[in-house]
C-alpha cells in the first residue's frame, strides 16, 4: 500500500529516477490546494508506463519537479472496446465520457448522426474529463477522445471490429447473449435523444459486423444507455469476467 494519496496524470515519460516537471496548474493543485511539500509522495501515470510513486523535489507557485522512485503498478490496458455515441447536452456528454473512461473504454468517439443536435464538441475538454476519471478510478490508461465525425465515416473506420448497435426500436425484443460468441475488438453505438433515423437503422442492420441489441423494455436516456451497454458488454466479453 502506498503512502501517496494523490494520483496525477502527467504527459511525460515515467521510469526509475526520472524527473517529471509540473505545469503551473499541477503545481497550484499539489502545493497550493493540497498543501504538499518537499518529500511528499504522489502517484503518477501517463497512460503508457504504468503507475509510479514519485516524490516532490522542487515545489513552487508556478511549477515544480517530482522524481520517480518506484513503479507501483504496471500498465493495465482495458479491453479493445470503443464507445461511439451521439453527443447530447453538455453535462450529459461529460457524464458519458467520464463513465466510459471509468468503465474501461479504450477509445471514445463522438458521432454525428442525423438527429444529433449538439453542433460540435470541445474535444480537449472531453479529453480532460477522461483524464480526471482515470485519475480518480485508479486506471493506468487514458482513453483517447476522438474528434467528432459523421456516422458514415466512423462506420468506415471500424475495420474488422464488431458493433453492438443499441437500437431503441428493439426495446424489450432481443437479448444480448449472442455477443459472447464474438471475441475480439468491439464498438458500442449509442444514438442521440431523437434516436436513429430509418435510413441509419437500415444501413446499420445491413452491416455484417453489426449486432442490433435491446437494453431492456424501457427507453433509456442516452447517458444511461451508454453505461448500461458498457456494463452488458463488460460482463459478457470484457475484463469483468
Ligand atoms: N427518441 C428515441 C425514442 O423515443 O425511441 C429514444 C432515443 S434514446 C433516448 C437514445 C439512445 O439510447 C438510443 O438511440 C439507443 O442507442 C439507446 N437506447 C435507449 N434505450 C434503449 C433500449 N431499450 N434498447 C436499445 N437501445 C436503447
Amino acid at each position: 500500500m502506498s503512502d501517496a494519496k494523490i494520483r496525477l496524470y502527467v504527459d511525460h515519460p515515467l521510469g526509475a529516477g526520472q524527473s517529471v516537471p509540473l505545469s503551473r496548474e499541477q503545481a497550484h493543485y499539489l502545493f497550493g490546494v493540497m498543501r504538499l511539500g518537499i518529500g511528499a509522495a504522489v502517484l503518477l501515470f501517463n497512460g503508457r508506463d504504468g503507475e509510479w510513486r514519485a516524490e516532490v523535489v522542487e515545489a513552487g507557485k508556478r511549477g515544480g519537479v517530482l522524481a520517480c522512485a518506484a513503479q507501483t503498478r504496471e500498465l493495465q490496458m482495458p479491453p479493445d472496446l470503443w464507445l461511439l455515441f451521439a453527443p447530447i447536452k453538455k453535462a450529459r456528454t461529460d457524464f458519458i465520457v467520464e463513465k466510459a473512461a471509468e468503465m474501461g473504454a479504450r477509445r471514445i468517439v463522438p458521432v454525428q448522426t442525423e438527429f444529433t443536435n449538439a453542433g460540435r464538441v470541445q474535444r480537449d475538454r472531453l479529453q480532460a474529463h477522461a483524464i480526471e476519471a482515470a485519475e480518480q478510478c485508479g486506471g493506468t490508461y487514458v482513453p483517447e477522445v476522438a474528434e467528432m465525425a459523421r456516422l458514415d465515416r466512423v462506420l468506415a473506420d471500424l475495420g474488422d471490429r464488431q458493433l453492438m448497435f443499441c437500437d431503441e426500436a428493439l426495446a424489450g425484443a432481443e437479448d444480448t447473449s449472442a455477443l459472447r460468441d464474438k471475441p475480439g475488438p468491439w464498438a458500442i453505438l449509442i444514438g442521440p435523444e431523437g434516436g436513429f433515423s430509418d435510413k441509419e437503422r437500415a444501413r446499420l442492420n445491413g452491416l455484417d459486423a453489426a449486432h442490433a441489441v435491446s437494453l431492456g423494455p424501457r427507453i433509456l436516456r442516452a447517458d444511461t444507455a451508454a453505461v448500461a451497454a458498457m456494463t452488458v458488454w463488460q460482463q459478457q466479453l470484457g475484463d469483468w469476467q
Side-chain angles (χ1 to χ4, degrees):
M1 189 68 181
S2 172
D3 52 341
K5 303 249 178 322
I6 298 173
R7 291 186 89 238
L8 199 63
Y9 171 86
V10 289
D11 187 9
H12 196 276
L14 301 174
Q18 177 78 53
S19 291
V20 181
L22 296 173
S23 68
R24 193 184 178 117
E25 293 74 33
Q26 289 167 331
H28 172 71
Y29 172 64
L30 292 184
F31 313 133
V33 179
M34 302 309 291
R35 302 275 168 200
L36 298 192
I38 302 290
V42 178
L43 293 172
L44 300 180
F45 68 104
N46 61 7
R48 303 183 297 274
D49 299 321
E51 181 190 79
W52 287 75
R53 182 184 177 282
E55 286 180 10
V56 178
V57 290
E58 283 176 36
K61 281 201 169 123
R62 294 187 198 83
V65 178
L66 303 181
C68 290
Q71 190 177 43
T72 43
R73 286 167 62 202
E74 293 196 347
L75 174 67
Q76 188 183 8
M77 290 294 289
D80 194 354
L81 174 67
W82 294 0
L83 177 67
L84 321 177
F85 75 101
I88 44 177
K89 290 190 185 79
K90 194 164 159 241
R92 289 179 183 275
T93 295
D94 293 351
F95 174 93
I96 290 175
V97 169
E98 181 184 289
K99 299 307 155 207
E102 284 177 37
M103 296 187 70
R106 197 177 282 195
R107 189 160 184 261
I108 301 170
V109 186
V111 179
Q112 175 88 51
T113 65
E114 272 187 56
F115 299 152
T116 301
N117 44 22
R120 55 186 287 276
V121 294
Q122 289 177 285
R123 199 203 72 83
D124 289 354
R125 206 174 52 81
L126 294 181
Q127 186 67 67
H129 278 293
I131 288 172
E132 266 178 44
E135 282 174 344
Q136 74 77 34
C137 76
T140 49
Y141 175 83
V142 178
E144 177 210 11
V145 180
E147 289 292 351
M148 179 142 123
R150 289 169 52 101
L151 179 61
D152 273 358
R153 171 79 198 283
V154 173
L155 294 178
D157 285 348
L158 287 182
D160 60 358
R161 195 168 286 277
Q162 303 293 317
L163 182 67
M164 177 174 166
F165 163 36
C166 298
D167 184 0
E168 68 277 3
L170 292 179
E174 299 277 309
D175 87 68
T176 54
S177 52
L179 302 182
R180 249 178 251 143
D181 305 334
K182 304 266 180 201
W186 274 82
I188 290 172
L189 175 62
I190 301 292
E193 281 164 2
F196 293 100
S197 70
D198 290 345
K199 197 169 139 208
E200 287 169 337
R201 186 166 285 112
R203 162 113 170 79
L204 285 159
N205 283 326
L207 298 175
D208 285 346
H211 308 267
V213 298
S214 158
L215 298 173
R218 290 164 289 277
I219 303 288
L220 309 176
R221 297 182 82 129
D223 46 348
T224 317
V227 174
M230 290 198 66
T231 306
V232 166
W233 189 90
Q234 279 284 30
Q235 278 190 331
Q236 299 207 17
L237 287 160
D239 58 11
W240 294 13
Q241 301 176 82

